[in-house]
Amino acid sequence: MSCLIALKNVTKRYGEIVALNNVSLEVIKGEILAIIGPNGSGKTTMLRIMAGIEKPNNGEIYFNGTRVHDRNIDMIRSRSTMIFQKTVFFNTTVYKNLAYGLKLRGYSKKEIKEKVREALRIVKLEGYESRLIKKLSGGEQQRLSLARALILNTELILLDEPTTNLDPYNVAMIEEIICNINRNFNTTIIIATHNMFQAKRLGNKVIFLLNGEVVEVGKADKMFEDPQDKRTKSFIRGEMIY
């Protein structure tokens, strides 16, 4: 098993606030990693650094064994996609939103049409090509975000609370799609969530993040059944963390 992305002694500060504190982590190719922790624990900051959106103040990032720096940052940006709680789309049709990135990469009209149709099939939005973005529900927009990542052959998908405020039907559908993408395309997926049940359902490996520090890392089943740190245990039980 090889490492896709690694953080080594990464620290990120916003003024006097330390969002991440000396974090080291390896993410194996093809796994689903779930990051759990309370609000303000540093989950989103970690994802943004992995996506190349933010730069750490200290530490190193490696992608496929290559150290990431200013001159090659596009390497990680072009091969990863971060999906936010509320994704920004062009105010046009589903088809044009999905086709845009493919046009920039020089695909023919026929290739674009085929890729768009297949991506929509995978995220269960067949026949939505002509739908306007503003007519889509929140769940449909999240599924479209996954289609956009798929269509560009993304190696790494980073999801920031992807099912917040969605109804149970859409939550179940999005989780199924995430698992299918991981299984069928061997796409590495990192999901930040405060929903421990979701982390347990999806994650091969789980990280508990607290106050910008990695408290515990382990396989999902072991983490939830027998956490080794008392702070992890308190969080899983819904208790106050001291």
Side-chain angles (χ1 to χ4, degrees), residues 19-75:
L20 291 179
N21 185 19
N22 199 37
V23 168
S24 293
L25 171 70
E26 289 190 351
V27 183
I28 303 303
K29 288 183 180 180
E31 76 176 350
I32 299 180
L33 171 68
I35 306 171
I36 62 172
N39 291 335
S41 60
K43 300 189 299 296
T44 299
T45 299
M46 182 181 284
L47 292 185
R48 291 174 67 88
I49 286 175
M50 288 179 170
I53 298 171
E54 298 270 6
K55 297 179 182 179
N57 297 101
N58 301 100
E60 301 172 353
I61 307 164
Y62 291 84
F63 192 83
N64 273 327
T66 300
R67 185 178 177 182
V68 178
H69 48 72
D70 288 344
R71 294 187 301 277
N72 68 0
I73 190 69
D74 285 343
M75 168 185 65

Side-chain angles (χ1 to χ4, degrees), residues 31-36 191 193 195-208 216-228 232 236:
E31 76 176 350
I32 299 180
L33 171 68
I35 306 171
I36 62 172
I191 176 170
T193 179
N195 185 329
M196 290 171 289
F197 298 105
Q198 184 172 74
K200 187 176 182 180
R201 286 192 297 268
L202 297 180
N204 307 124
K205 185 167 70 181
V206 177
I207 295 174
F208 176 49
E216 190 168 347
V217 182
K219 292 184 177 180
D221 53 357
K222 183 173 178 57
M223 175 80 81
F224 287 100
E225 291 172 10
D226 186 27
Q228 299 302 297
T232 310
I236 289 173

Side-chain angles (χ1 to χ4, degrees), residues 44-224:
T44 299
T45 299
M46 182 181 284
L47 292 185
R48 291 174 67 88
I49 286 175
M50 288 179 170
I53 298 171
E54 298 270 6
K55 297 179 182 179
N57 297 101
N58 301 100
E60 301 172 353
I61 307 164
Y62 291 84
F63 192 83
N64 273 327
T66 300
R67 185 178 177 182
V68 178
H69 48 72
D70 288 344
R71 294 187 301 277
N72 68 0
I73 190 69
D74 285 343
M75 168 185 65
I76 195 169
R77 290 174 178 169
S78 64
R79 294 155 77 180
S80 65
T81 298
M82 183 165 175
I83 298 176
F84 300 89
Q85 291 182 36
K86 183 66 175 177
T87 304
V88 177
F89 293 99
F90 298 116
N91 187 23
T92 181
T93 64
V94 165
Y95 185 90
K96 288 182 179 180
N97 271 275
L98 291 180
Y100 179 75
L102 296 174
K103 287 181 179 179
L104 294 180
R105 287 164 173 76
Y107 285 89
S108 69
K109 289 183 178 181
K110 181 180 179 181
E111 289 172 323
I112 291 172
K113 187 175 181 179
E114 291 173 352
K115 283 181 172 291
V116 168
R117 183 186 295 116
E118 177 62 11
L120 290 176
R121 183 192 66 78
I122 292 169
V123 301
K124 304 182 188 298
L125 291 175
E126 299 99 324
Y128 274 58
E129 286 89 342
S130 298
R131 295 280 185 97
L132 294 174
I133 290 295
K134 62 183 180 181
K135 297 292 186 181
L136 300 183
S137 69
E140 289 169 343
Q141 288 191 16
Q142 285 296 72
R143 286 149 60 193
L144 185 61
S145 296
L146 289 167
R148 189 161 60 181
L150 266 176
I151 211 166
L152 297 176
N153 297 319
T154 296
E155 289 184 56
L156 173 64
I157 297 177
L158 304 119
L159 301 160
D160 189 17
E161 304 282 2
T163 58
T164 298
N165 299 323
L166 296 184
D167 61 86
Y169 173 81
N170 274 294
V171 170
M173 181 172 289
I174 288 171
E175 289 183 357
E176 179 185 348
I177 291 167
I178 289 170
C179 290
N180 287 340
I181 290 172
N182 171 255
R183 181 172 56 251
N184 296 331
F185 299 95
N186 201 38
T187 305
T188 306
I189 296 174
I190 304 176
I191 176 170
T193 179
H194 66 273
N195 185 329
M196 290 171 289
F197 298 105
Q198 184 172 74
K200 187 176 182 180
R201 286 192 297 268
L202 297 180
N204 307 124
K205 185 167 70 181
V206 177
I207 295 174
F208 176 49
L209 198 63
L210 182 65
N211 298 325
E213 297 182 356
V214 175
V215 174
E216 190 168 347
V217 182
K219 292 184 177 180
D221 53 357
K222 183 173 178 57
M223 175 80 81
F224 287 100

